[in-house]
Amino acid sequence: MKILLYTGGRKLVGESGVGRAMSHQEKALALGGVDYTEDVKDAYDIVHINTVLPDAVWMARRAKREGKKVVYHGHSTMEDFRNSFVGSNLTAPLFRKWLCTCYGQADLVLTPTEYSKKILEGYGLNRPVLPLSNGVDTGFFRKKPEQRRRFREKYGFSMEDKVILCVGLPIERKGILDVLSLARQLPQYHFFWCGHAAAGLIPPSIRRAMANAGANMHFPGFLDREELRDAYGGCDLFLFPTYEETEGIVMLEAMSMEIPVLVRDIPVYDGWLQNGREVWKERVRPGFRNRICDILEGRLPDLTGAARNAAEKRDLKIIGQRLASVYETLL
């Protein structure tokens, strides 16, 4: 059994969650002992596709013509396309139709959570949909004391400063407006937002809000894997106020790094992350503001050990073994 992990369009999605998921699959397949290639000229039995770009649909159709099996990873939904880039709300219904075209090429659709499975099944795909986490590299994302020093020295924070980390594209769906508001309300803390998107894709209202951010709001742009690990290890709280996700790889990384995690209480976390057990959850800005203060001032229990345990259940070695089983069953 040999898998073609199709990487077409990788440069376009490299800084997104889809790009991160592709990297995860490479390591997961290696850890799971799965023979795979990324060369479309090689012989293979199953093609595994992650993007919804036109070349990916072409690859799926080519594989079907050649009698190969197609696994399509359903990272995207119409719901998480909304409130993202310029024109996304207007084109969301068309995007859903395109997703159905893409995922409709598959013999099996994988998607990160039970929540996203229910969404895709609601599209009437008429294809089997299986939930499987994107996973997290718990060996790499492990907290060490030197990370805090390196991070704070690089960005000019003292060891006593309270730093709140956010990771993601600076778009409305990810909660950027909430974070900007919280930063204004909590000037005693530093807010550090990692992530970048081309200016032309970001709505003008978001760009203006970011340009008018206070001195305690920091935008370092995109950080590579090692720099991001230092940011996780150097901050005091990971804040993830996203309104819609299919899972949230960066949240899994923060959990693996054993730092306090505060997320928005949205359905994707139901059944596997409980408020007050692995993470803290809130819904609206006043709740986030109060919870941030309680966490940073030590008025709440430490959940980081339970969060690490939850992340370890989604380690890439486990995901690789599950992928191997999925492929074998499909063949």
Side-chain angles (χ1 to χ4, degrees):
M1 177 180 71
K2 191 168 188 177
I3 310 303
L4 169 60
L5 188 58
Y6 183 65
T7 57
R10 189 170 197 163
K11 290 183 179 179
L12 295 175
V13 301
E15 296 182 6
S16 70
V18 176
R20 190 78 61 86
M22 293 168 75
S23 297
H24 282 196
Q25 288 161 20
E26 290 170 335
K27 184 159 187 177
L29 294 182
L31 291 170
V34 178
D35 187 15
Y36 80 96
T37 180
E38 295 179 357
D39 187 344
V40 297
K41 297 178 181 178
D42 286 350
Y44 65 93
D45 301 292
I46 298 173
V47 61
H48 189 147
I49 298 172
N50 285 274
T51 73
V52 293
L53 300 171
D55 65 288
V57 175
W58 170 85
M59 184 67 237
R61 289 174 174 169
R62 170 184 163 181
K64 298 293 281 186
R65 287 196 304 269
E66 296 175 357
K68 313 295 187 181
K69 297 291 186 181
V70 177
V71 171
Y72 222 118
H73 225 112
H75 299 290
S76 300
T77 66
M78 177 185 71
E79 287 74 9
D80 72 8
F81 182 67
R82 290 194 182 109
N83 297 315
S84 56
F85 304 114
V86 171
S88 61
N89 288 357
L90 183 64
T91 58
L94 293 176
F95 186 65
R96 171 174 165 162
K97 291 181 179 179
W98 176 247
L99 291 178
C100 291
T101 297
C102 296
Y103 300 155
Q105 311 300 313
D107 295 287
L108 173 67
V109 178
L110 294 178
T111 194
T113 55
E114 287 285 352
Y115 170 73
S116 54
K117 176 179 185 287
K118 290 178 182 178
I119 289 178
L120 295 182
E121 288 177 337
Y123 292 177
L125 289 176
N126 195 29
R127 291 290 185 272
V129 182
L130 181 69
L132 179 64
S133 172
N134 287 308
V136 59
D137 189 345
T138 61
F140 181 85
F141 288 103
R142 182 179 293 276
K143 192 169 188 177
K144 296 181 180 178
E146 60 268 24
Q147 296 158 352
R148 185 177 180 89
R149 175 187 54 78
R150 281 197 302 260
F151 170 73
R152 288 170 181 260
E153 286 180 357
K154 180 172 183 177
Y155 293 102
F157 300 125
S158 74
M159 296 300 284
E160 292 74 32
D161 285 336
K162 302 289 187 180
V163 181
I164 299 163
L165 174 66
C166 307
V167 182
L169 298 172
I171 56 178
E172 185 176 353
R173 175 176 65 83
K174 293 288 187 180
I176 181 67
L177 294 178
D178 295 294
V179 171
L180 290 168
S181 175
L182 289 166
R184 286 192 295 270
Q185 295 174 50
L186 298 170
Q188 69 271 35
Y189 304 136
H190 291 276
F191 289 74
F192 194 83
W193 185 292
C194 305
H196 169 77
L201 295 176
I202 304 299
S205 59
I206 303 295
R207 296 202 302 269
R208 285 194 298 270
M210 293 172 65
N212 293 322
N216 66 327
M217 188 78 224
H218 308 270
F219 295 105
F222 176 77
L223 301 187
D224 65 28
R225 200 163 176 250
E226 287 75 19
E227 291 175 317
L228 183 58
R229 180 174 58 181
D230 279 355
Y232 286 131
C235 74
D236 300 287
L237 170 65
F238 181 75
L239 175 61
F240 196 50
T242 179
Y243 285 85
E244 183 68 30
E245 290 293 320
T246 54
E247 184 176 36
I249 291 175
V250 295
M251 183 193 64
L252 290 177
E253 291 170 351
M255 291 166 60
S256 182
M257 289 291 296
E258 297 185 77
I259 58 175
V261 173
L262 174 58
V263 301
R264 191 178 301 277
D265 189 1
I266 54 178
V268 69
Y269 306 131
D270 292 349
W272 63 287
L273 292 179
Q274 291 187 23
N275 183 37
R277 188 178 68 182
E278 298 91 359
V279 300
W280 298 106
K281 298 180 182 181
E282 288 295 340
R283 291 182 180 271
V284 295
R285 290 178 189 175
F288 278 111
R289 183 187 64 240
N290 294 336
R291 188 75 77 174
I292 287 170
C293 294
D294 287 343
I295 293 170
L296 294 183
E297 303 307 324
R299 295 191 288 264
L300 290 173
D302 182 0
L303 310 180
T304 57
R308 171 74 188 189
N309 290 338
E312 287 175 344
K313 293 177 182 177
R314 291 163 175 78
D315 183 75
L316 290 184
K317 184 175 183 179
I318 294 172
I319 302 305
Q321 293 167 350
R322 291 180 179 170
L323 279 171
S325 177
V326 166
Y327 297 145
E328 289 168 358
T329 300
L330 185 59
L331 286 178

